[in-house]
Amino acid sequence: MAKTALAIDAMGGDYGPRVVVPATLKYLQETPAVSVFLVGNQSEISPLISTCFASRVTIVHADEVIAMDEKVSVALRTKKNSSLRLALELVANAEAQACVSAGNTGALMALGR
């Protein structure tokens, strides 16, 4: 069976990596045919990853985060290295089959377009 790769915006949502990473690891535990790209600040993500999932998790470092209340126009113009944008680029480049984010929905829709 071919593996599915998901791009996860680890910085998205109100609580960022401290919620997104454990939830992702639980999902990986229950879904063996999936690997993930966790996109965000590597120094915040790395300590949260269990070594038993290391072969199925790739961290993609992103220097910027789009805040939940940030204007979409600002995110589009100025956040070229945001976790959300880089996660979507993984899908656009066919490295991942889907992107998941609990972050700014307006920015997700605009960047995804």
Side-chain angles (χ1 to χ4, degrees):
M1 178 188 332
K3 280 206 171 211
T4 299
L6 302 176
I8 310 282
D9 172 16
M11 308 308 287
D14 293 327
Y15 303 105
R18 72 175 197 235
V19 171
V20 174
V21 173
T24 300
L25 296 179
K26 175 121 174 88
Y27 176 73
L28 287 175
Q29 183 178 5
E30 297 171 359
T31 316
V34 172
S35 62
V36 297
F37 293 96
L38 285 171
V39 186
N41 186 310
Q42 185 168 4
S43 64
E44 291 182 48
I45 297 169
S46 291
L48 301 172
I49 296 177
S50 170
T51 56
C52 63
F53 293 110
S55 66
R56 295 172 53 206
V57 175
T58 302
I59 298 173
V60 177
H61 182 71
D63 294 326
E64 300 173 312
V65 176
I66 297 173
M68 293 295 284
D69 60 348
E70 196 160 350
K71 288 187 173 187
V72 173
S73 59
V74 172
L76 284 170
R77 288 189 204 111
T78 66
K79 300 285 179 109
K80 303 295 183 194
N81 196 34
S82 69
S83 57
L84 184 52
R85 182 184 293 265
L86 294 181
L88 287 166
E89 285 179 2
L90 288 167
V91 176
N93 295 334
E95 295 176 62
Q97 285 72 50
C99 173
V100 178
S101 178
N104 185 316
T105 304
L108 175 64
M109 298 306 293
L111 289 168
R113 189 164 187 271

